[in-house]
Amino acid sequence: MMQYISFLDMKSPYQELKGELDEAYHRVMESGWYIMGKELDAFEQEFAEYCGARYCIGVGNGLEALHLILRAYGIGDGDEVIAPSNTYIATWLAVSYAGARVVPVEPNAFTYNLDVEQVESAITSRTRAILPVHLYGQPADMERLMILADKYDLKVIEDSAQAQGAHYKGKMSGNLGHAAGFSFYPGKNLGALGDAGAIVTNDELLATHIKGLRNYGSKVKYYNDEKGYNSRLDEIQAAFLRVKLKYLDDWNDRRNKIASFYLDSLAGIPDLLLPQVLESASPIWHIFPLLHPKRDDLQRYLKSKGVDTMIHYPVPPHLSRAYSEMSMQKGTFPIAEKIAESELSLPMGPHLKLEEAEYIVNAIRSYQ
């Protein structure tokens, strides 16, 4: 019997945590304090401790988190930042907003993360930072990237938007480089009920600088030290995130069980390429991607079977109209382009049932 399986169940998380989330809402509303208050202070402390880092600064969203890190490090006009050629465009936009130039580097064809082998050849005298993305929830090869950074005196800024709770060699995402930007967009593993983000670092000077930058460049009200921004994680989202943070590891474990089932059950299907995981990494499967040469046809077929899927991401940044000034033609980054043309994301989430995953697998296996 055909059933409908949504790509991501957004209702069940609320239903599971309804009592605590409702209590958090009422707590904030009754406090009469909605911006830069006790909930934000508590969340920043709790999330920093979760990541094993010294500081967390709540901001408006993940893009602004990356932008503020770059700005606080003084990276801007005339500087270059190495970033993956395959990523959501927000990674590139953060570099552009800072005034620096994106230098794209291809991913590893099997893990889809930044290919460390190609990074060194992209470093020039103008390179100031490397911006690896923990794409789909799998950590990049951070140890090797940090070795390169030390060699060339560069900053490594983690785009951890999809990796809340992922581990690499026993350390948590967000505590693997010099600083990290997180997104808490509602669909993330740790998702707010609106836009939200954070910066995590062990750098006291950076943290202090960003706390001013996010608040109009002011540490004391009405006294502005520089031209800053309005990028503050509000009290109600901080309160919701405090509730959800307590369940993050359990929900990530549920995702891992579904991902393990997918990897075992879909192995060996002709033309179907499954993601490979670094031996040193423990991903949290924000997205479960597979590659297929007839991706669009497979997606239509799965839809006819009631299985909702998504594509992450159909247009690599270098081919988007937003970056047309770079004059990069198709074929410039063939690995990124192949991923964009063949990637299909299967339903994934902490509330996806094993019997639903079995139905999805059987639907894929029935595809001719």
Side-chain angles (χ1 to χ4, degrees):
M1 179 182 296
M2 191 177 85
Q3 56 181 299
Y4 174 74
I5 301 173
S6 64
F7 175 72
L8 179 62
D9 181 355
M10 295 294 290
K11 293 182 180 180
S12 292
Y14 171 66
Q15 291 167 351
E16 181 177 340
L17 305 180
K18 184 180 188 307
E20 291 181 71
L21 290 171
D22 288 355
E23 190 279 328
Y25 165 80
H26 288 292
R27 186 173 70 241
V28 173
M29 296 305 293
E30 290 170 2
S31 75
W33 194 289
Y34 307 123
I35 294 176
M36 304 282 281
K38 293 180 180 179
E39 297 291 341
L40 176 60
D41 289 343
F43 173 72
E44 288 177 335
Q45 180 178 347
E46 289 161 8
F47 193 64
E49 290 175 357
Y50 177 81
C51 294
R54 294 178 65 191
Y55 306 103
C56 169
I57 307 99
V59 296
N61 55 64
L63 168 56
E64 291 173 359
L66 295 174
H67 174 217
L68 289 173
I69 295 169
L70 291 163
R71 170 71 191 273
Y73 273 137
I75 296 171
D77 186 43
D79 296 328
E80 294 177 350
V81 176
I82 293 172
S85 58
N86 67 314
T87 182
Y88 184 56
I89 200 169
T91 311
W92 284 34
L93 289 175
V95 178
S96 299
Y97 289 173
R101 187 172 81 89
V102 178
V103 177
V105 168
E106 286 272 68
N108 178 283
F110 302 102
T111 66
Y112 317 136
N113 275 329
L114 195 61
D115 187 347
V116 181
E117 299 293 339
Q118 298 188 48
V119 170
E120 186 164 19
S121 62
I123 296 172
T124 72
S125 60
R126 295 191 173 193
T127 306
R128 294 285 307 282
I130 305 170
L131 212 173
V133 179
H134 303 317
L135 197 63
Y136 309 140
Q138 179 178 177
D141 196 350
M142 291 297 296
E143 183 175 65
R144 296 172 66 199
L145 287 172
M146 291 300 289
I147 290 171
L148 274 181
D150 289 343
K151 180 178 178 180
Y152 293 97
D153 192 25
L154 306 175
K155 298 298 183 185
V156 176
I157 302 164
E158 301 171 67
D159 183 337
S160 293
Q162 301 182 9
Q164 302 94 338
H167 287 79
Y168 173 89
K169 295 197 171 182
K171 293 184 69 176
M172 188 77 77
S173 165
N175 195 22
L176 301 171
H178 296 101
F182 284 88
S183 167
F184 303 126
Y185 180 78
K188 303 299 187 188
N189 292 38
L190 178 60
L193 301 186
D195 275 321
I199 293 154
V200 171
T201 185
N202 290 306
D203 186 333
E204 182 178 7
L205 291 177
L206 181 75
T208 300
H209 191 177
I210 291 173
K211 284 183 178 180
L213 269 181
R214 72 171 173 184
N215 188 37
Y216 300 100
S218 171
K219 298 183 184 68
V220 179
K221 193 169 185 177
Y222 301 128
Y223 292 84
N224 303 82
D225 301 315
E226 58 185 321
K227 299 181 183 70
Y229 304 87
N230 177 10
S231 182
R232 301 173 299 201
L233 174 58
D234 65 60
E235 285 290 279
I236 201 159
Q237 298 302 339
F240 291 149
L241 287 167
R242 292 184 66 200
V243 172
K244 287 190 165 186
L245 180 59
K246 294 185 292 183
Y247 298 90
L248 179 58
D249 287 342
D250 176 55
W251 286 8
N252 282 343
D253 286 344
R254 297 187 207 174
R255 288 174 177 266
N256 278 321
K257 290 175 182 175
I258 296 294
S260 295
F261 177 77
Y262 280 154
L263 289 169
D264 291 341
S265 303
L266 295 173
I269 297 178
D271 295 328
L272 191 70
L273 186 62
L274 298 171
Q276 294 184 14
V277 177
L278 286 175
E279 188 175 329
S280 54
S282 298
I284 44 83
W285 300 107
H286 170 59
I287 290 166
F288 188 90
L290 53 80
L291 305 187
H292 195 283
K294 296 181 180 179
R295 183 268 312 282
D296 294 343
D297 188 59
L298 175 58
Q299 184 178 43
R300 284 190 292 269
Y301 178 79
L302 291 175
K303 184 176 181 180
S304 75
K305 296 293 184 181
V307 178
D308 187 24
T309 59
M310 287 191 69
I311 297 169
H312 295 89
Y313 304 96
V315 182
H318 70 283
L319 296 181
S320 69
R321 291 179 61 186
Y323 282 92
S324 58
E325 79 278 2
M326 296 178 76
S327 300
M328 291 188 175
Q329 305 300 315
K330 189 171 183 178
T332 306
F333 295 104
I335 298 176
E337 292 166 23
K338 177 184 176 182
I339 293 171
E341 292 167 359
S342 59
E343 192 275 344
L344 187 66
S345 302
L346 298 185
M348 172 56 72
H351 297 87
L352 184 69
K353 299 178 177 63
L354 182 58
E355 53 266 32
E356 291 176 317
E358 290 173 346
Y359 180 87
I360 294 164
V361 166
N362 288 335
I364 294 171
R365 285 196 166 275
S366 70
Y367 172 73
Q368 300 296 327

